[in-house]
PDB file of all heavy atoms in Angstrom:
ATOM      1  N   PHE A   1     -67.081-162.367  14.864  1.00 94.00           N
ATOM      2  CA  PHE A   1     -67.924-161.275  14.369  1.00 94.00           C
ATOM      3  C   PHE A   1     -68.976-160.935  15.432  1.00 94.00           C
ATOM      4  O   PHE A   1     -69.642-161.813  15.966  1.00 94.00           O
ATOM      5  CB  PHE A   1     -68.583-161.749  13.077  1.00 94.00           C
ATOM      6  CG  PHE A   1     -69.180-160.684  12.216  1.00 94.00           C
ATOM      7  CD1 PHE A   1     -68.918-159.338  12.386  1.00 94.00           C
ATOM      8  CD2 PHE A   1     -70.030-161.054  11.184  1.00 94.00           C
ATOM      9  CE1 PHE A   1     -69.480-158.381  11.562  1.00 94.00           C
ATOM     10  CE2 PHE A   1     -70.598-160.119  10.342  1.00 94.00           C
ATOM     11  CZ  PHE A   1     -70.324-158.772  10.539  1.00 94.00           C
ATOM     12  N   HIS A   2     -69.092-159.637  15.754  1.00 97.00           N
ATOM     13  CA  HIS A   2     -70.053-159.155  16.744  1.00 97.00           C
ATOM     14  C   HIS A   2     -71.091-158.262  16.072  1.00 97.00           C
ATOM     15  O   HIS A   2     -70.757-157.467  15.189  1.00 97.00           O
ATOM     16  CB  HIS A   2     -69.354-158.295  17.804  1.00 97.00           C
ATOM     17  CG  HIS A   2     -68.595-159.043  18.853  1.00 97.00           C
ATOM     18  ND1 HIS A   2     -67.747-160.090  18.586  1.00 97.00           N
ATOM     19  CD2 HIS A   2     -68.549-158.872  20.183  1.00 97.00           C
ATOM     20  CE1 HIS A   2     -67.209-160.521  19.716  1.00 97.00           C
ATOM     21  NE2 HIS A   2     -67.691-159.800  20.711  1.00 97.00           N
ATOM     22  N   GLY A   3     -72.311-158.351  16.536  1.00 98.00           N
ATOM     23  CA  GLY A   3     -73.377-157.455  16.097  1.00 98.00           C
ATOM     24  C   GLY A   3     -74.225-157.072  17.294  1.00 98.00           C
ATOM     25  O   GLY A   3     -74.335-157.834  18.256  1.00 98.00           O
ATOM     26  N   ARG A   4     -74.798-155.873  17.252  1.00 97.00           N
ATOM     27  CA  ARG A   4     -75.652-155.432  18.355  1.00 97.00           C
ATOM     28  C   ARG A   4     -76.856-154.684  17.792  1.00 97.00           C
ATOM     29  O   ARG A   4     -76.704-153.738  17.017  1.00 97.00           O
ATOM     30  CB  ARG A   4     -74.894-154.532  19.321  1.00 97.00           C
ATOM     31  CG  ARG A   4     -75.779-154.061  20.484  1.00 97.00           C
ATOM     32  CD  ARG A   4     -75.040-153.349  21.573  1.00 97.00           C
ATOM     33  NE  ARG A   4     -74.330-152.200  21.053  1.00 97.00           N
ATOM     34  CZ  ARG A   4     -73.295-151.644  21.653  1.00 97.00           C
ATOM     35  NH1 ARG A   4     -72.822-152.124  22.768  1.00 97.00           N
ATOM     36  NH2 ARG A   4     -72.713-150.590  21.131  1.00 97.00           N
ATOM     37  N   TYR A   5     -78.027-155.138  18.195  1.00 97.00           N
ATOM     38  CA  TYR A   5     -79.244-154.417  17.844  1.00 97.00           C
ATOM     39  C   TYR A   5     -79.358-153.178  18.712  1.00 97.00           C
ATOM     40  O   TYR A   5     -78.763-153.107  19.796  1.00 97.00           O
ATOM     41  CB  TYR A   5     -80.473-155.317  18.024  1.00 97.00           C
ATOM     42  CG  TYR A   5     -80.674-156.262  16.864  1.00 97.00           C
ATOM     43  CD1 TYR A   5     -80.311-157.601  16.950  1.00 97.00           C
ATOM     44  CD2 TYR A   5     -81.216-155.799  15.676  1.00 97.00           C
ATOM     45  CE1 TYR A   5     -80.495-158.456  15.877  1.00 97.00           C
ATOM     46  CE2 TYR A   5     -81.402-156.652  14.591  1.00 97.00           C
ATOM     47  CZ  TYR A   5     -81.037-157.971  14.703  1.00 97.00           C
ATOM     48  OH  TYR A   5     -81.210-158.812  13.627  1.00 97.00           O
ATOM     49  N   ASP A   6     -80.140-152.198  18.255  1.00 94.00           N
ATOM     50  CA  ASP A   6     -80.242-150.941  18.993  1.00 94.00           C
ATOM     51  C   ASP A   6     -80.912-151.109  20.357  1.00 94.00           C
ATOM     52  O   ASP A   6     -80.810-150.231  21.198  1.00 94.00           O
ATOM     53  CB  ASP A   6     -80.915-149.848  18.164  1.00 94.00           C
ATOM     54  CG  ASP A   6     -82.274-150.218  17.631  1.00 94.00           C
ATOM     55  OD1 ASP A   6     -82.784-151.300  17.947  1.00 94.00           O
ATOM     56  OD2 ASP A   6     -82.841-149.412  16.871  1.00 94.00           O
ATOM     57  N   ASP A   7     -81.532-152.270  20.607  1.00 94.00           N
ATOM     58  CA  ASP A   7     -82.093-152.524  21.944  1.00 94.00           C
ATOM     59  C   ASP A   7     -81.054-153.148  22.875  1.00 94.00           C
ATOM     60  O   ASP A   7     -81.356-153.471  24.018  1.00 94.00           O
ATOM     61  CB  ASP A   7     -83.341-153.399  21.853  1.00 94.00           C
ATOM     62  CG  ASP A   7     -83.053-154.827  21.380  1.00 94.00           C
ATOM     63  OD1 ASP A   7     -81.885-155.169  21.089  1.00 94.00           O
ATOM     64  OD2 ASP A   7     -84.025-155.607  21.288  1.00 94.00           O
ATOM     65  N   GLY A   8     -79.815-153.326  22.379  1.00 95.00           N
ATOM     66  CA  GLY A   8     -78.730-153.870  23.187  1.00 95.00           C
ATOM     67  C   GLY A   8     -78.473-155.351  22.999  1.00 95.00           C
ATOM     68  O   GLY A   8     -77.466-155.876  23.471  1.00 95.00           O
ATOM     69  N   GLU A   9     -79.373-156.058  22.325  1.00 96.00           N
ATOM     70  CA  GLU A   9     -79.185-157.493  22.105  1.00 96.00           C
ATOM     71  C   GLU A   9     -77.942-157.734  21.256  1.00 96.00           C
ATOM     72  O   GLU A   9     -77.785-157.168  20.186  1.00 96.00           O
ATOM     73  CB  GLU A   9     -80.398-158.095  21.394  1.00 96.00           C
ATOM     74  CG  GLU A   9     -80.218-159.563  21.072  1.00 96.00           C
ATOM     75  CD  GLU A   9     -81.306-160.136  20.166  1.00 96.00           C
ATOM     76  OE1 GLU A   9     -82.233-159.404  19.776  1.00 96.00           O
ATOM     77  OE2 GLU A   9     -81.200-161.325  19.849  1.00 96.00           O
ATOM     78  N   MET A  10     -77.047-158.588  21.749  1.00 97.00           N
ATOM     79  CA  MET A  10     -75.825-158.951  21.037  1.00 97.00           C
ATOM     80  C   MET A  10     -76.022-160.270  20.314  1.00 97.00           C
ATOM     81  O   MET A  10     -76.680-161.176  20.825  1.00 97.00           O
ATOM     82  CB  MET A  10     -74.650-159.087  22.015  1.00 97.00           C
ATOM     83  CG  MET A  10     -74.221-157.816  22.699  1.00 97.00           C
ATOM     84  SD  MET A  10     -73.480-156.581  21.607  1.00 97.00           S
ATOM     85  CE  MET A  10     -72.048-157.443  20.972  1.00 97.00           C
ATOM     86  N   ILE A  11     -75.442-160.366  19.122  1.00 96.00           N
ATOM     87  CA  ILE A  11     -75.379-161.620  18.382  1.00 96.00           C
ATOM     88  C   ILE A  11     -73.938-161.793  17.915  1.00 96.00           C
ATOM     89  O   ILE A  11     -73.196-160.809  17.818  1.00 96.00           O
ATOM     90  CB  ILE A  11     -76.387-161.672  17.207  1.00 96.00           C
ATOM     91  CG1 ILE A  11     -76.201-160.481  16.249  1.00 96.00           C
ATOM     92  CG2 ILE A  11     -77.812-161.737  17.733  1.00 96.00           C
ATOM     93  CD1 ILE A  11     -77.113-160.521  15.033  1.00 96.00           C
ATOM     94  N   PHE A  12     -73.568-163.026  17.631  1.00 94.00           N
ATOM     95  CA  PHE A  12     -72.167-163.314  17.353  1.00 94.00           C
ATOM     96  C   PHE A  12     -72.004-164.285  16.192  1.00 94.00           C
ATOM     97  O   PHE A  12     -72.890-165.061  15.881  1.00 94.00           O
ATOM     98  CB  PHE A  12     -71.495-163.917  18.601  1.00 94.00           C
ATOM     99  CG  PHE A  12     -71.608-163.048  19.811  1.00 94.00           C
ATOM    100  CD1 PHE A  12     -72.625-163.248  20.728  1.00 94.00           C
ATOM    101  CD2 PHE A  12     -70.722-162.004  20.015  1.00 94.00           C
ATOM    102  CE1 PHE A  12     -72.744-162.430  21.842  1.00 94.00           C
ATOM    103  CE2 PHE A  12     -70.839-161.181  21.119  1.00 94.00           C
ATOM    104  CZ  PHE A  12     -71.849-161.397  22.039  1.00 94.00           C
ATOM    105  N   GLY A  13     -70.799-164.228  15.599  1.00 88.00           N
ATOM    106  CA  GLY A  13     -70.411-165.186  14.576  1.00 88.00           C
ATOM    107  C   GLY A  13     -71.263-165.126  13.327  1.00 88.00           C
ATOM    108  O   GLY A  13     -71.696-164.061  12.884  1.00 88.00           O
ATOM    109  N   LEU A  14     -71.523-166.295  12.785  1.00 87.00           N
ATOM    110  CA  LEU A  14     -72.284-166.411  11.554  1.00 87.00           C
ATOM    111  C   LEU A  14     -73.699-165.847  11.698  1.00 87.00           C
ATOM    112  O   LEU A  14     -74.285-165.374  10.728  1.00 87.00           O
ATOM    113  CB  LEU A  14     -72.322-167.879  11.120  1.00 87.00           C
ATOM    114  CG  LEU A  14     -72.872-168.188   9.746  1.00 87.00           C
ATOM    115  CD1 LEU A  14     -72.141-167.394   8.652  1.00 87.00           C
ATOM    116  CD2 LEU A  14     -72.782-169.673   9.473  1.00 87.00           C
ATOM    117  N   ASP A  15     -74.239-165.865  12.922  1.00 88.00           N
ATOM    118  CA  ASP A  15     -75.570-165.287  13.144  1.00 88.00           C
ATOM    119  C   ASP A  15     -75.617-163.816  12.738  1.00 88.00           C
ATOM    120  O   ASP A  15     -76.631-163.336  12.240  1.00 88.00           O
ATOM    121  CB  ASP A  15     -76.006-165.439  14.597  1.00 88.00           C
ATOM    122  CG  ASP A  15     -76.376-166.867  14.952  1.00 88.00           C
ATOM    123  OD1 ASP A  15     -76.728-167.637  14.049  1.00 88.00           O
ATOM    124  OD2 ASP A  15     -76.308-167.208  16.152  1.00 88.00           O
ATOM    125  N   VAL A  16     -74.523-163.088  12.926  1.00 93.00           N
ATOM    126  CA  VAL A  16     -74.483-161.675  12.541  1.00 93.00           C
ATOM    127  C   VAL A  16     -74.662-161.542  11.033  1.00 93.00           C
ATOM    128  O   VAL A  16     -75.480-160.742  10.563  1.00 93.00           O
ATOM    129  CB  VAL A  16     -73.173-160.997  13.000  1.00 93.00           C
ATOM    130  CG1 VAL A  16     -73.174-159.516  12.615  1.00 93.00           C
ATOM    131  CG2 VAL A  16     -72.962-161.157  14.497  1.00 93.00           C
ATOM    132  N   SER A  17     -73.921-162.329  10.283  1.00 89.00           N
ATOM    133  CA  SER A  17     -74.045-162.283   8.818  1.00 89.00           C
ATOM    134  C   SER A  17     -75.450-162.658   8.378  1.00 89.00           C
ATOM    135  O   SER A  17     -76.033-162.007   7.508  1.00 89.00           O
ATOM    136  CB  SER A  17     -73.035-163.220   8.156  1.00 89.00           C
ATOM    137  OG  SER A  17     -71.734-162.721   8.288  1.00 89.00           O
ATOM    138  N   ILE A  18     -75.992-163.699   8.958  1.00 89.00           N
ATOM    139  CA  ILE A  18     -77.333-164.147   8.574  1.00 89.00           C
ATOM    140  C   ILE A  18     -78.370-163.072   8.862  1.00 89.00           C
ATOM    141  O   ILE A  18     -79.212-162.760   8.018  1.00 89.00           O
ATOM    142  CB  ILE A  18     -77.674-165.481   9.263  1.00 89.00           C
ATOM    143  CG1 ILE A  18     -76.793-166.579   8.661  1.00 89.00           C
ATOM    144  CG2 ILE A  18     -79.156-165.815   9.129  1.00 89.00           C
ATOM    145  CD1 ILE A  18     -76.817-167.879   9.395  1.00 89.00           C
ATOM    146  N   HIS A  19     -78.310-162.469  10.039  1.00 90.00           N
ATOM    147  CA  HIS A  19     -79.254-161.398  10.381  1.00 90.00           C
ATOM    148  C   HIS A  19     -79.084-160.213   9.434  1.00 90.00           C
ATOM    149  O   HIS A  19     -80.075-159.643   8.965  1.00 90.00           O
ATOM    150  CB  HIS A  19     -79.067-160.955  11.828  1.00 90.00           C
ATOM    151  CG  HIS A  19     -79.634-161.890  12.827  1.00 90.00           C
ATOM    152  ND1 HIS A  19     -80.548-161.504  13.778  1.00 90.00           N
ATOM    153  CD2 HIS A  19     -79.421-163.216  13.057  1.00 90.00           C
ATOM    154  CE1 HIS A  19     -80.871-162.539  14.535  1.00 90.00           C
ATOM    155  NE2 HIS A  19     -80.193-163.586  14.114  1.00 90.00           N
ATOM    156  N   ALA A  20     -77.845-159.831   9.157  1.00 93.00           N
ATOM    157  CA  ALA A  20     -77.591-158.672   8.296  1.00 93.00           C
ATOM    158  C   ALA A  20     -78.120-158.908   6.884  1.00 93.00           C
ATOM    159  O   ALA A  20     -78.785-158.036   6.306  1.00 93.00           O
ATOM    160  CB  ALA A  20     -76.101-158.349   8.268  1.00 93.00           C
ATOM    161  N   TRP A  21     -77.831-160.079   6.317  1.00 90.00           N
ATOM    162  CA  TRP A  21     -78.317-160.370   4.966  1.00 90.00           C
ATOM    163  C   TRP A  21     -79.839-160.472   4.932  1.00 90.00           C
ATOM    164  O   TRP A  21     -80.477-160.070   3.955  1.00 90.00           O
ATOM    165  CB  TRP A  21     -77.664-161.629   4.408  1.00 90.00           C
ATOM    166  CG  TRP A  21     -76.255-161.370   3.972  1.00 90.00           C
ATOM    167  CD1 TRP A  21     -75.102-161.803   4.562  1.00 90.00           C
ATOM    168  CD2 TRP A  21     -75.847-160.571   2.855  1.00 90.00           C
ATOM    169  NE1 TRP A  21     -74.007-161.327   3.883  1.00 90.00           N
ATOM    170  CE2 TRP A  21     -74.438-160.571   2.828  1.00 90.00           C
ATOM    171  CE3 TRP A  21     -76.529-159.856   1.878  1.00 90.00           C
ATOM    172  CZ2 TRP A  21     -73.705-159.889   1.863  1.00 90.00           C
ATOM    173  CZ3 TRP A  21     -75.798-159.182   0.907  1.00 90.00           C
ATOM    174  CH2 TRP A  21     -74.404-159.201   0.919  1.00 90.00           C
ATOM    175  N   ASN A  22     -80.421-160.967   6.001  1.00 88.00           N
ATOM    176  CA  ASN A  22     -81.878-161.016   6.084  1.00 88.00           C
ATOM    177  C   ASN A  22     -82.460-159.592   6.106  1.00 88.00           C
ATOM    178  O   ASN A  22     -83.464-159.323   5.444  1.00 88.00           O
ATOM    179  CB  ASN A  22     -82.305-161.795   7.329  1.00 88.00           C
ATOM    180  CG  ASN A  22     -83.789-162.025   7.364  1.00 88.00           C
ATOM    181  OD1 ASN A  22     -84.360-162.540   6.409  1.00 88.00           O
ATOM    182  ND2 ASN A  22     -84.418-161.648   8.452  1.00 88.00           N
ATOM    183  N   ILE A  23     -81.841-158.696   6.836  1.00 91.00           N
ATOM    184  CA  ILE A  23     -82.302-157.307   6.924  1.00 91.00           C
ATOM    185  C   ILE A  23     -82.328-156.647   5.552  1.00 91.00           C
ATOM    186  O   ILE A  23     -83.263-155.910   5.231  1.00 91.00           O
ATOM    187  CB  ILE A  23     -81.433-156.511   7.925  1.00 91.00           C
ATOM    188  CG1 ILE A  23     -81.776-156.925   9.354  1.00 91.00           C
ATOM    189  CG2 ILE A  23     -81.596-155.006   7.735  1.00 91.00           C
ATOM    190  CD1 ILE A  23     -80.835-156.401  10.417  1.00 91.00           C
ATOM    191  N   VAL A  24     -81.306-156.906   4.740  1.00 91.00           N
ATOM    192  CA  VAL A  24     -81.266-156.278   3.408  1.00 91.00           C
ATOM    193  C   VAL A  24     -82.029-157.095   2.362  1.00 91.00           C
ATOM    194  O   VAL A  24     -82.125-156.688   1.203  1.00 91.00           O
ATOM    195  CB  VAL A  24     -79.824-155.979   2.927  1.00 91.00           C
ATOM    196  CG1 VAL A  24     -79.122-155.028   3.892  1.00 91.00           C
ATOM    197  CG2 VAL A  24     -79.015-157.246   2.714  1.00 91.00           C
ATOM    198  N   GLY A  25     -82.586-158.233   2.769  1.00 88.00           N
ATOM    199  CA  GLY A  25     -83.414-159.024   1.878  1.00 88.00           C
ATOM    200  C   GLY A  25     -82.668-159.825   0.826  1.00 88.00           C
ATOM    201  O   GLY A  25     -83.207-160.154  -0.223  1.00 88.00           O
ATOM    202  N   LYS A  26     -81.439-160.168   1.108  1.00 79.00           N
ATOM    203  CA  LYS A  26     -80.613-160.924   0.160  1.00 79.00           C
ATOM    204  C   LYS A  26     -80.068-162.190   0.808  1.00 79.00           C
ATOM    205  O   LYS A  26     -79.976-162.304   2.024  1.00 79.00           O
ATOM    206  CB  LYS A  26     -79.439-160.062  -0.332  1.00 79.00           C
ATOM    207  CG  LYS A  26     -79.874-158.840  -1.105  1.00 79.00           C
ATOM    208  CD  LYS A  26     -80.471-159.243  -2.416  1.00 79.00           C
ATOM    209  CE  LYS A  26     -80.983-158.066  -3.199  1.00 79.00           C
ATOM    210  NZ  LYS A  26     -81.711-158.477  -4.386  1.00 79.00           N
ATOM    211  N   HIS A  27     -79.662-163.108  -0.048  1.00 62.00           N
ATOM    212  CA  HIS A  27     -79.003-164.358   0.363  1.00 62.00           C
ATOM    213  C   HIS A  27     -79.798-165.128   1.418  1.00 62.00           C
ATOM    214  O   HIS A  27     -79.249-165.624   2.389  1.00 62.00           O
ATOM    215  CB  HIS A  27     -77.577-164.093   0.849  1.00 62.00           C
ATOM    216  CG  HIS A  27     -76.694-163.457  -0.154  1.00 62.00           C
ATOM    217  ND1 HIS A  27     -76.535-163.946  -1.432  1.00 62.00           N
ATOM    218  CD2 HIS A  27     -75.928-162.336  -0.096  1.00 62.00           C
ATOM    219  CE1 HIS A  27     -75.701-163.168  -2.100  1.00 62.00           C
ATOM    220  NE2 HIS A  27     -75.334-162.177  -1.322  1.00 62.00           N
ATOM    221  N   LYS A  28     -81.104-165.247   1.202  1.00 63.00           N
ATOM    222  CA  LYS A  28     -81.955-165.962   2.154  1.00 63.00           C
ATOM    223  C   LYS A  28     -81.526-167.427   2.324  1.00 63.00           C
ATOM    224  O   LYS A  28     -81.758-168.016   3.366  1.00 63.00           O
ATOM    225  CB  LYS A  28     -83.411-165.852   1.745  1.00 63.00           C
ATOM    226  CG  LYS A  28     -83.907-164.419   1.826  1.00 63.00           C
ATOM    227  CD  LYS A  28     -85.386-164.329   1.596  1.00 63.00           C
ATOM    228  CE  LYS A  28     -85.858-162.908   1.552  1.00 63.00           C
ATOM    229  NZ  LYS A  28     -85.688-162.144   2.736  1.00 63.00           N
ATOM    230  N   TRP A  29     -80.866-167.988   1.313  1.00 53.00           N
ATOM    231  CA  TRP A  29     -80.391-169.365   1.374  1.00 53.00           C
ATOM    232  C   TRP A  29     -79.395-169.580   2.508  1.00 53.00           C
ATOM    233  O   TRP A  29     -79.230-170.702   2.996  1.00 53.00           O
ATOM    234  CB  TRP A  29     -79.738-169.763   0.047  1.00 53.00           C
ATOM    235  CG  TRP A  29     -78.566-168.891  -0.293  1.00 53.00           C
ATOM    236  CD1 TRP A  29     -78.584-167.769  -1.062  1.00 53.00           C
ATOM    237  CD2 TRP A  29     -77.228-169.031   0.159  1.00 53.00           C
ATOM    238  NE1 TRP A  29     -77.333-167.197  -1.123  1.00 53.00           N
ATOM    239  CE2 TRP A  29     -76.473-167.956  -0.374  1.00 53.00           C
ATOM    240  CE3 TRP A  29     -76.571-169.959   0.971  1.00 53.00           C
ATOM    241  CZ2 TRP A  29     -75.112-167.794  -0.122  1.00 53.00           C
ATOM    242  CZ3 TRP A  29     -75.204-169.785   1.221  1.00 53.00           C
ATOM    243  CH2 TRP A  29     -74.507-168.710   0.670  1.00 53.00           C
ATOM    244  N   ILE A  30     -78.728-168.502   2.950  1.00 60.00           N
ATOM    245  CA  ILE A  30     -77.691-168.631   3.983  1.00 60.00           C
ATOM    246  C   ILE A  30     -78.263-169.150   5.305  1.00 60.00           C
ATOM    247  O   ILE A  30     -77.546-169.719   6.113  1.00 60.00           O
ATOM    248  CB  ILE A  30     -76.944-167.283   4.162  1.00 60.00           C
ATOM    249  CG1 ILE A  30     -75.579-167.492   4.805  1.00 60.00           C
ATOM    250  CG2 ILE A  30     -77.758-166.294   4.955  1.00 60.00           C
ATOM    251  CD1 ILE A  30     -74.701-166.260   4.776  1.00 60.00           C
ATOM    252  N   ARG A  31     -79.576-168.997   5.497  1.00 58.00           N
ATOM    253  CA  ARG A  31     -80.219-169.477   6.736  1.00 58.00           C
ATOM    254  C   ARG A  31     -80.049-170.983   6.928  1.00 58.00           C
ATOM    255  O   ARG A  31     -80.112-171.462   8.054  1.00 58.00           O
ATOM    256  CB  ARG A  31     -81.705-169.138   6.724  1.00 58.00           C
ATOM    257  CG  ARG A  31     -81.969-167.679   6.871  1.00 58.00           C
ATOM    258  CD  ARG A  31     -83.455-167.431   7.000  1.00 58.00           C
ATOM    259  NE  ARG A  31     -83.775-166.201   6.311  1.00 58.00           N
ATOM    260  CZ  ARG A  31     -84.892-165.954   5.692  1.00 58.00           C
ATOM    261  NH1 ARG A  31     -85.840-166.840   5.644  1.00 58.00           N
ATOM    262  NH2 ARG A  31     -85.095-164.795   5.104  1.00 58.00           N
TER     263      ARG A  31
END
């Protein structure tokens, strides 16, 4: 799994899911 912030920073794997769920304010336990 790949993710990219609008500043160009890339994140990968489970970190993408964790960042995404954090952004929407859900599933904080996943951290």
